[in-house]
Amino acid sequence: MTWSEMQPLLSDACSQTFTMVLWSTLIAVVAGLPLGILLVLTDRGGLLQNVLANKVIGQVVNVGRSMPFIILMVALMTFTRWVTGTTIGTTAAIVPLAIGGIPFFARLVETAVREVDQGLVEAVQSMGGNTWTIVRKVLVPEALPSLIASTTTTIIALIGYSAMAGTVGGGGLGDLAVRYGYQRFETELMWITVAILAVVISLIQFAGDFAARSLHRRGARSGPAPKLRLLKAKEPAAAEISKVA
C-alpha cells in the first residue's frame, strides 16, 4: 500500500479517534468530578458525612473500574443502541468509553481532593463558609494541578480504550490497525498507527504535565493557603483580646 493510499485512511481514523476521545473525556470529567468530590464529602469526617451514601457510590465506582472495557462494551450494547440507535461506529463507541471513563476519573478526583490541606477547609468553616463555598473556593482550586494530571491520565486511558473499541467496529486507529495492518497483512500501516498513537500520547502527557506544573507554581507564588492560615490564626488572637478587654 502506497502512502497516497494510506493517507486518507489515516486521516479518517485519526479524526474518528479524536472525536471518540474528546466527547468521552468531556462526559467523564463532567460526571466524574462531582462523583469524586462526593466520595470525599460523604466519607467519615467529611462535610456531608453519610456512610451509606459513601458506600453505595464507592461500590458503583468500584464495579465500573473493575470491569474490563471489552466486557463493558458488550454489556452496554442494549443501552448503546437505545441511546444512539446503533452499536457500531464512532458515535456508538462514545457511550461505553464515557461510562468506562467516569469511575476511572472519579477515583482520581477523590485522590486529588483528599490531598488538600484540611487546615484550609477548617479556616473557611471558621469564617462561615458553607459546603458549596468550601468546594468552590478551596477543594477544587487547591486540587486543580492534580485534577489536570488526572484528566491527562484519563485521556490517555481513553485513547487506549478507543483503540480497543476499534476492534469491534468502533472505528478509529484501532480499527484501522486491525482491519488493514493485521487482517490484510499491511504491517507498515500497522506500525504507522502505533507510531501515531505513541506521538499523540507523548504530546498529551507533556501538555498535561506542563499545565499541572504551571498551575502549581502559580499557586505557590500567589500563596492563597498562607493567607487562609493567617486569617485562621488571627481569629483566636482577636477572641483573646476581647476577653481581656
Side-chain angles (χ1 to χ4, degrees):
M1 183 178 289
T2 63
W3 173 249
S4 60
E5 294 173 324
M6 292 182 190
Q7 191 172 6
L9 295 173
L10 289 169
S11 178
D12 290 342
C14 288
S15 176
Q16 291 168 355
T17 296
F18 176 79
T19 301
M20 285 189 287
V21 173
L22 174 63
W23 285 106
S24 58
T25 299
L26 287 174
I27 296 170
V29 169
V30 170
L33 180 61
L35 197 61
I37 293 174
L38 273 176
L39 283 169
V40 177
L41 296 180
T42 59
D43 200 4
R44 295 183 186 276
L47 298 174
L48 300 174
Q49 179 175 321
N50 188 319
V51 177
L52 179 60
N54 184 265
K55 287 184 176 180
V56 170
I57 297 172
Q59 192 60 37
V60 171
V61 170
N62 289 339
V63 170
R65 287 189 63 198
S66 64
M67 189 174 296
F69 181 70
I70 192 71
I71 296 176
L72 182 65
M73 287 189 66
V74 175
L76 290 175
M77 278 187 174
T78 302
F79 179 72
T80 301
R81 185 181 290 108
W82 178 72
V83 173
T84 65
T86 181
T87 58
I88 299 174
T90 302
T91 303
I94 293 172
V95 176
L97 281 171
I99 293 177
I102 290 171
F104 182 86
F105 184 69
R107 281 300 184 192
L108 295 177
V109 171
E110 180 190 11
T111 302
V113 173
R114 287 190 189 280
E115 293 175 355
V116 176
D117 186 359
Q118 288 301 306
L120 302 180
V121 176
E122 294 171 3
V124 175
Q125 282 181 310
S126 67
M127 290 184 285
N130 57 23
T131 301
W132 170 242
T133 301
I134 292 171
V135 171
R136 189 166 54 93
K137 296 291 187 180
V138 179
L139 296 182
V140 172
E142 289 296 316
L144 193 55
S146 296
L147 293 175
I148 295 295
S150 300
T151 303
T152 303
T153 303
T154 303
I155 292 172
I156 292 173
L158 289 174
I159 290 175
Y161 289 168
S162 71
M164 201 180 305
T167 63
V168 290
L173 290 169
D175 177 55
L176 183 65
V178 171
R179 283 197 298 118
Y180 287 88
Y182 178 72
Q183 295 177 351
R184 301 187 185 183
F185 303 102
E186 295 287 349
T187 307
E188 184 179 356
L189 180 60
M190 183 175 67
W191 283 113
I192 290 174
T193 60
V194 171
I196 291 173
L197 286 171
V199 170
V200 169
I201 288 173
S202 298
L203 290 174
I204 291 172
Q205 187 67 62
F206 174 79
D209 291 344
F210 178 78
R213 285 195 299 267
S214 299
L215 287 170
H216 184 74
R217 287 196 295 265
R218 185 180 302 174
R221 286 197 299 268
S222 61
K227 291 180 182 179
L228 286 174
R229 291 193 187 97
L230 184 60
L231 287 171
K232 184 182 177 184
K234 283 181 177 180
E235 289 185 354
E240 290 296 330
I241 292 173
S242 62
K243 287 180 182 178
V244 172

